[in-house]
């Protein structure tokens, strides 16, 4: 076969690996192949391959994409897939992802080259979304199976899936059903062809039958292994997010660059202060800039000691720590107005060790341009020369330093590196303030601030502001000016309904807004029935996307009716129902999140520039990266570096960051050696079994893959 290396020594090396013999024995043989830790993604522009590529991108796993739609694309032949380096056979890719089991024309030389490559180097293949058919080891759906919508279907990880690549899941894989009018998921449910070596990993009940059909399964034939996925998905859907880790671990054998974890951190802003309340008649917030000056009567929302008790009990029950972003002047002002008494501050300070604390500036002052609030919306004031008038360096520095002094005096366990400015002010804010306050960077330097919070909805990418780097935070749509569910719903209705329905009309002006309403929600049931499920789904989507960015709410949401807790509980309960105990949610402090984001950015840049390479020979993994760039990798439990354990345990594996001087060398445990091929149903080795017949039976038409609406 053209380009395929076959020698007696090489065949012996592959045999040693395939039989699971000690890897060191194979490594001594110069014919033991080198497998580069890079994935080949062959795309047809569909959502399934796009989703897998996005998962690799986010984790930091190098891959090469070949787009079949491009006329000038590389030809996939033996030379493209493999060569020899320093006398050793080299496989250039550790796994292959195809749009389906065979996206090429009949009798394609490219598919033949891929099949030969997979056989020669024991390279696994993922069929990102394929029709259930004998070529993929499955019966056509007309033979007792099903093809159609699987919206809302409760799929399950099988025993083989839990013992294999999907062991980080508890079992349930619920398919989304977010709209009764939009088709979201489509699948082919079927059982294995008689005699095929097919192992379902995720399945679901076949409608109208007592049998279950495969949605994800492994098919072994002709010396090849395929992960056969028979449902369509995009990168955002929960069912894919749940299975994405397992797909990557299956195709890489758990040995790959990059890492993935599930993060959830929640910042509570304005602690010690009081938040102004939404006025349901005026449709604005008296005391804040969305109301005209003097309009309405401010009615503040502030936590009580009982709210603190509820919060600490909730944290204990959930094994979760909130980050409290505090404003010391809130307590000082309260004491001045109440003969020196502030039971809330006394309670919070007494329980200070139960929380993480972040400097939120002393008075929560706006630290950007000078605001002209004589108009709604406000605008930046200008000086006599017509230039923007900015809050000065000294004022900004005083807000940071005074709050820090107050916190230290109260004994709060602060990290001086972290800062959240009021309303993320000082940073650019469109449309009024398109640039950062030029005095912000110097004030941050004056106070040694290294991590500065930003609003992900308007400033999503980490960037440098003077000596600090930003940490983008997701705003939860639980409003700062609502302490009760009815207030929240009233404001939500005003924002997201049409002008004809009494709303703001923002959705008419910006139809891409994702939370628009066709009609107002009930102020009695709308929060529980609509807002809580939606906000839970959005936040849980972030958690499942290997996204470390924190979310933020406000102290008002922990007061009065405590409306934040249903959303937070929804996220944590939903997560607990889905994941095994060895895959906990990661609840990281702000500076650790900042470091993670910074490392990822440097790693992605190095990978994109082709400055990262890695390969495996037997039980040894070697990684080369630019000096100063930390390496991220995921390996089997028991992997060592210079005799010491590598990484931290997560989802049944170990992963972590390492900054090495020169190449990084890792030693895999013996359990990481490729396993012997399982025996087929009739005793024949599965790796030598041939594929089932490929003839399409009479009356069956192969369907064009279905694309879900986003």
């Amino acid at each position: 076969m053209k380009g395929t290396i076959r020698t007696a020594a090489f065949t012996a090396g592959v045999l040693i690996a395939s039989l699971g013999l000690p890897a060191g024995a194979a490594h001594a043989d110069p014919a033991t192949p080198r497998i580069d830790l890079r994935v080949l993604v062959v795309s047809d522009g569909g959502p399934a391959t796009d989703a897998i590529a996005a998962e690799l991108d986010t984790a930091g796993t190098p891959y090469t994409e070949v787009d079949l739609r491009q006329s000038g694309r590389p030809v996939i032949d033996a030379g493209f897939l493999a060569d020899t380096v320093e006398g050793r056979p080299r496989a250039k890719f550790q796994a292959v992802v195809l749009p389906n089991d065979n996206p090429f024309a009949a009798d394609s030389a490219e598919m033949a080259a891929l099949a030969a490559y997979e056989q020669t180097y024991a390279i696994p293949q993922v069929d990102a979304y394929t029709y259930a058919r004998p070529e993929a080891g499955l019966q056509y759906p007309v033979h007792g199976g099903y093809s159609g919508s699987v919206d809302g279907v409760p799929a399950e990880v099988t025993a083989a899936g839990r013992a294999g690549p999907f062991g980080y899941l508890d079992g349930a894989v619920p398919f989304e059903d977010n709209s009764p009018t939009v088709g979201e998921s489509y699948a082919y449910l079927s059982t294995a062809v008689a005699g095929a070596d097919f192992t379902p990993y995720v399945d679901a009940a076949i409608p109208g039958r007592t049998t279950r059909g495969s949605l994800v399964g492994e098919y072994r034939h002709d010396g090849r292994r395929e992960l056969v996925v028979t449902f369509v998905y995009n990168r955002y859907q929960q069912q894919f997010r749940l299975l994405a880790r397992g797909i990557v671990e299956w195709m890489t054998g758990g040995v790959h660059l990059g890492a993935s974890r599930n993060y959830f951190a929640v910042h509570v802003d304005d602690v010690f202060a009081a938040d102004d309340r939404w006025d349901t008649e005026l449709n604005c917030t008296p005391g804040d800039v969305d109301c005209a000056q003097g309009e309405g009567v401010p009615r503040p929302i502030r936590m009580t000691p009982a709210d603190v008790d509820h919060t600490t009990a909730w944290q204990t029950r959930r094994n979760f720590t909130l980050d409290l972003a505090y404003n010391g002047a809130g307590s000082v002002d309260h004491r001045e107005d109440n003969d020196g008494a502030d039971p809330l501050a006394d309670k919070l300070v007494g329980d200070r060790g139960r929380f993480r604390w972040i400097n939120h500036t002393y008075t929560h002052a706006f630290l950007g341009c000078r605001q002209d609030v004589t108009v709604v919306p406000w605008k930046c004031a200008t000086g006599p020369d017509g230039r923007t008038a900015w809050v000065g360096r000294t004022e900004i520095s005083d807000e940071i330093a005074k709050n820090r002094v107050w916190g230290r005096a109260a004994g709060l366990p602060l990290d001086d590196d972290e800062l959240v400015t009021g309303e993320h002010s000082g940073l650019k804010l469109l449309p009024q303030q398109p640039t950062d306050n030029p005095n912000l960077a110097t004030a941050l330097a004056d106070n040694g601030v290294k991590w500065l919070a930003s609003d992900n909805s308007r400033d999503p990418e980490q960037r440098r502001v003077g000596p600090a780097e930003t940490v983008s935070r997701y705003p939860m749509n639980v409003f700062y000016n609502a302490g009760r569910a009815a207030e929240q719903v009233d404001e939500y209705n005003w924002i997201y309904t049409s002008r004809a329905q009494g709303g703001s009309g923002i959705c008419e002006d910006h139809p891409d807004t994702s939370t628009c309403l066709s009609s107002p929600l009930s102020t009695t049931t709308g929060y529980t029935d609509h807002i809580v499920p939606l906000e839970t789904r959005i936040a849980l989507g972030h958690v499942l996307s290997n996204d470390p960015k924190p979310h933020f709410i406000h102290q008002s949401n922990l007061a009065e009716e405590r409306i934040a807790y249903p959303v937070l509980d929804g996220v944590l309960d939903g997560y607990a129902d889905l994941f095994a105990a060895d895959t906990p949610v990661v609840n990281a402090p702000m500076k650790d999140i900042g470091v993670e984001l910074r490392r990822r950015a440097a790693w992605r840049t190095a990978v994109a520039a082709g400055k990262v390479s890695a390969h495996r020979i037997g039980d040894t993994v070697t990684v080369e990266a630019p000096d100063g760039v930390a390496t991220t990798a995921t390996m089997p439990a028991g992997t060592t570096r210079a005799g010491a354990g590598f990484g931290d345990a997560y989802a049944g594996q170990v992963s972590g960051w390492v900054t090495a001087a020169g190449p990084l060398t890792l030693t895999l445990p013996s359990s990481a050696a490729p396993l012997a091929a399982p025996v087929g149903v009739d005793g024949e080795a599965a790796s030598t079994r041939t594929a089932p017949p490929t003839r399409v039976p009479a009356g069956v038409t192969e369907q064009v893959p279905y694309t879900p609406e986003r």
Side-chain angles (χ1 to χ4, degrees):
M1 195 168 295
K2 182 180 178 182
T4 300
I5 303 169
R6 291 222 182 250
T7 67
F10 173 66
T11 303
V14 173
L15 181 60
I16 289 171
S18 68
L19 293 177
L21 297 177
H27 194 183
D29 189 335
T32 301
R34 161 180 160 160
I35 310 295
D36 283 2
L37 301 190
R38 174 173 285 270
V39 175
L40 174 61
V41 178
V42 180
S43 171
D44 62 355
T49 48
D50 172 75
I52 294 175
E55 174 69 10
L56 298 173
D57 266 329
T58 303
T61 304
Y63 68 95
T64 295
E65 183 169 13
V66 174
D67 190 336
L68 296 177
R69 300 168 300 170
Q70 300 298 320
S71 59
R73 67 171 177 84
V75 174
I76 300 173
D77 57 18
F80 177 80
L81 298 167
D83 60 10
T84 300
V85 174
E86 297 178 348
R88 184 183 299 277
R90 175 176 72 148
K92 297 180 183 179
F93 307 101
Q94 65 180 134
V96 174
V97 178
L98 298 183
N100 51 65
D101 61 292
N102 185 352
F104 302 96
D107 300 320
S108 165
E110 289 184 292
M111 191 66 229
L114 277 169
Y117 174 72
E118 293 168 8
Q119 291 166 336
T120 301
Y121 292 97
I123 301 299
Q125 172 184 308
V126 174
D127 305 334
Y129 168 51
T130 195
Y131 183 54
R133 57 181 182 172
E135 296 95 325
L138 294 168
Q139 296 273 12
Y140 288 105
V142 293
H143 299 316
Y146 168 81
S147 59
S149 172
V150 285
D151 290 4
V153 164
E156 294 280 344
V157 180
T158 66
R162 289 194 297 272
F166 301 101
Y168 57 91
L169 294 173
D170 256 352
V173 183
F175 274 57
E176 289 183 333
D177 187 12
N178 300 317
S179 170
T181 61
V182 176
E184 299 166 44
S185 302
Y186 192 97
Y188 306 105
L189 292 169
S190 185
T191 56
V193 171
D197 183 20
F198 191 99
T199 303
Y201 288 147
V202 181
D203 64 11
I206 297 175
R209 297 184 178 272
T210 59
T211 53
R212 299 180 68 83
S214 178
L215 289 163
V216 182
E218 180 173 333
Y219 177 38
R220 294 185 180 231
H221 65 98
D222 301 326
R224 299 167 59 208
R225 297 169 58 231
E226 295 181 50
L227 192 71
V228 179
V229 183
T230 57
F231 72 93
V232 71
Y233 48 89
N234 64 48
R235 67 171 76 181
Y236 306 104
Q237 291 179 300
Q238 178 175 282
Q239 53 266 31
F240 172 71
R241 296 264 31 102
L242 291 173
L243 299 173
R245 174 189 298 277
I247 292 172
V248 172
E249 300 314 324
W250 180 89
M251 69 178 170
T252 63
V255 178
H256 62 88
L257 297 181
S260 177
R261 300 196 177 204
N262 298 331
Y263 298 84
F264 190 45
V266 179
H267 295 182
V268 183
D269 288 4
D270 304 350
V271 172
F272 297 121
D275 289 296
D276 294 317
R277 190 186 305 272
W278 174 256
D279 189 305
T280 57
E281 298 297 325
L282 296 174
N283 289 329
C284 65
T285 311
D288 210 338
V289 294
D290 62 328
C291 273
Q293 280 187 306
E295 186 178 17
V297 178
R299 295 179 297 133
I301 309 166
R302 191 172 190 253
M303 292 175 69
T304 67
D307 295 326
V308 179
D309 285 335
H310 185 90
T311 302
T312 55
W314 180 87
Q315 286 193 148
T316 299
R317 178 170 58 86
R318 304 290 351 191
N319 190 28
F320 190 88
T321 301
L322 297 170
D323 295 80
L324 304 189
Y326 75 96
N327 309 103
S331 177
V332 172
D333 293 344
H334 191 90
R335 292 187 191 279
E336 288 180 355
D337 295 338
N338 292 275
D339 297 323
D342 187 0
L344 170 63
D346 294 341
K347 182 64 176 174
L348 280 168
V349 169
D351 289 342
R352 57 189 177 275
R354 307 287 293 274
F355 306 100
R356 293 192 293 250
W357 295 86
I358 305 174
N359 187 344
H360 193 28
T361 72
Y362 188 62
T363 69
H364 199 279
F366 190 83
L367 304 180
C369 62
R370 302 282 184 190
Q371 290 178 294
D372 179 353
V373 296
T374 62
V375 293
V376 177
W378 63 270
K379 63 181 180 179
C380 285
T382 56
D385 58 0
R387 295 181 179 180
T388 299
W390 298 102
V391 174
R393 172 180 179 177
T394 300
E395 290 175 74
I396 299 173
S397 187
D398 284 350
E399 280 286 328
I400 300 169
K402 195 170 183 178
N403 203 48
R404 183 182 291 168
V405 169
W406 187 94
R408 290 294 182 206
L412 302 183
L414 290 175
D415 190 318
D416 290 346
D417 292 349
E418 302 173 343
L419 177 69
V420 181
T421 57
E423 301 177 59
H424 304 100
S425 59
L427 296 172
K428 60 184 179 181
L429 173 61
L430 297 175
Q432 293 102 323
Q433 185 191 312
T435 62
D436 295 342
N437 182 343
N439 299 315
L440 177 63
T442 51
L444 297 177
D446 292 341
N447 291 275
V449 175
K450 296 180 181 177
W451 304 108
L452 176 66
S454 63
D455 185 333
N456 190 78
S457 65
R458 63 192 191 215
D459 203 358
E461 298 301 322
Q462 187 174 52
R463 62 188 181 91
R464 184 166 288 279
V465 182
E469 292 177 273
T470 58
V471 177
S472 299
R473 307 189 303 166
Y474 286 111
M476 283 186 160
N477 237 359
V478 182
F479 302 135
Y480 81 97
N481 51 3
R484 304 181 182 120
E487 297 165 349
Q488 165 79 18
V489 175
D490 183 85
E491 184 175 4
Y492 199 93
N493 284 337
W494 184 80
I495 295 173
Y496 296 120
T497 56
S498 67
R499 293 182 179 89
Q501 295 170 322
S504 70
I506 189 174
C507 290
E508 295 160 275
D509 300 336
H510 303 280
D512 58 335
T513 304
S514 62
T515 44
C516 296
L517 298 171
S518 58
S519 61
L521 302 173
S522 164
T523 55
T524 302
T525 62
Y527 187 66
T528 299
D529 293 348
H530 181 88
I531 297 175
V532 168
L534 178 58
E535 288 306 304
T536 296
R537 177 165 59 86
I538 291 171
L540 185 57
H542 298 153
V543 174
L544 303 185
S545 298
N546 189 22
D547 189 343
K549 294 176 182 175
H551 294 72
F552 72 96
I553 55 174
H554 295 80
Q555 64 84 31
S556 53
N557 309 140
L558 305 183
E560 298 183 354
E561 292 183 2
R562 302 167 180 165
I563 61 177
Y565 290 108
V567 177
L568 302 184
D569 281 330
V571 173
L572 294 174
D573 286 339
Y575 188 89
D577 289 343
L578 296 169
F579 287 89
D582 68 353
T583 311
V585 69
V586 178
N587 177 218
M590 179 174 166
K591 72 174 183 180
D592 288 357
I593 294 170
V595 170
E596 176 73 16
L597 293 171
R598 181 175 65 193
R599 285 172 167 171
R600 288 189 188 192
W603 177 256
R604 282 196 301 268
T605 298
V607 169
K611 296 180 179 179
V612 172
S613 65
H615 63 268
R616 173 183 179 178
I617 301 174
D619 64 353
T620 301
V621 171
T622 304
V623 186
E624 296 190 63
D627 290 344
V629 174
T631 291
T632 177
T634 299
M635 298 287 149
T639 297
T640 59
R641 178 194 178 202
F646 165 77
D648 298 311
Y650 195 79
Q653 296 179 281
V654 292
S655 56
W657 291 94
V658 176
T659 301
L664 169 66
T665 301
L666 302 174
T667 302
L668 302 175
S670 58
S671 59
L675 301 175
V679 176
V681 293
D682 58 1
E684 182 182 358
S687 61
T688 62
R689 295 183 64 84
T690 57
T694 60
R695 183 179 62 83
V696 178
V700 174
T701 301
E702 189 167 327
Q703 300 184 29
V704 175
Y706 168 94
T707 301
E709 296 186 47
R710 296 202 174 200

